[in-house]
Amino acid sequence: CGMNSHLVFSRSAKGIEELDTRRYRLTAELRRVLILVDGHSTVGDLHKKALVFNDLEYSLESLSRHSFINACKATNSAVVGPGQHRAREVYQDSTKWQLVDLARRVLGEKQADVISKKILTTDNSKEELKAAFKACVKLIRLTMSEEKADSFFKEGLKLIN
């Protein structure tokens, strides 16, 4: 299953710095995708703009994983169609990416990988996401620290509820 086409990404400070200075030496492909990310275009829009790219979603995921871009919102156009179900799915998808961003901020890049995978591979129901979130807090507590687990829990609760 692909990335939600209604998701919108924006460049982070690190992404803007990379475009200005080339400090992080992104590949040409990742740099081109980073240039396309504007904080307004949905993933669906980016697909239309980037027909020549090999794997746009992989590039977006990679840029997000390395904090060059952040998921900022899901567009309202997602509400059109099968009603609330679609809107809820988009909301859950955007919540997942916000939790991934939170994990990276609290835990750091490398330690957030396992947590990110667990969150992103969770089913799109609110109950499943809450269960995955609780499991992640437990995992952080067991393998990292109480302090990081508490921080992730407190900030994550605001996103989930």
Side-chain angles (χ1 to χ4, degrees):
C1 79
M3 187 177 281
N4 186 313
S5 65
H6 296 285
L7 203 55
V8 176
F9 286 97
S10 63
R11 290 183 209 125
S12 65
K14 184 178 176 182
I16 293 165
E17 179 187 13
E18 170 58 20
L19 289 180
D20 290 344
T21 66
R22 295 181 187 253
R23 174 179 176 191
Y24 302 98
R25 296 185 177 93
L26 286 179
T27 64
E29 175 103 357
L30 287 175
R31 186 174 172 78
R32 283 193 297 265
V33 173
L34 181 59
I35 289 167
L36 286 177
V37 170
D38 59 11
H40 305 289
S41 301
T42 63
V43 170
D45 295 335
L46 295 177
H47 270 292
K48 291 173 195 155
K49 293 178 187 177
L51 295 173
V52 296
F53 293 114
N54 294 330
D55 194 344
L56 177 68
E57 291 185 10
Y58 175 80
S59 295
L60 289 169
E61 222 169 89
S62 180
L63 288 169
S64 176
R65 191 173 338 108
H66 293 97
S67 303
F68 289 103
I69 61 174
N70 299 307
C72 56
K73 62 186 171 195
T75 61
N76 291 338
S77 61
V79 179
V80 180
Q84 289 305 98
H85 174 71
R86 186 79 197 118
R88 190 166 51 248
E89 190 178 309
V90 171
Y91 164 77
Q92 293 302 129
D93 205 47
S94 121
T95 302
K96 283 182 184 181
W97 282 100
Q98 290 173 342
L99 284 170
V100 167
D101 289 340
L102 171 63
R104 289 187 192 125
R105 280 197 319 274
V106 173
L107 310 173
E109 286 297 316
K110 287 185 179 168
Q111 290 184 316
D113 266 0
V114 173
I115 302 301
S116 299
K117 283 180 187 144
K118 185 159 191 63
I119 292 166
L120 291 173
T121 56
T122 299
D123 190 47
N124 265 353
S125 75
K126 193 167 187 169
E127 296 73 33
E128 289 289 320
L129 191 54
K130 279 186 174 183
F133 173 70
K134 286 179 184 172
C136 289
V137 171
K138 191 174 184 178
L139 183 64
I140 295 166
R141 188 165 276 123
L142 291 171
T143 61
M144 295 170 209
S145 75
E146 288 280 332
E147 188 183 357
K148 286 182 179 182
D150 290 343
S151 180
F152 182 75
F153 178 72
K154 284 175 190 158
E155 289 189 52
L157 265 185
K158 295 173 198 166
L159 296 173
I160 285 184
N161 291 328

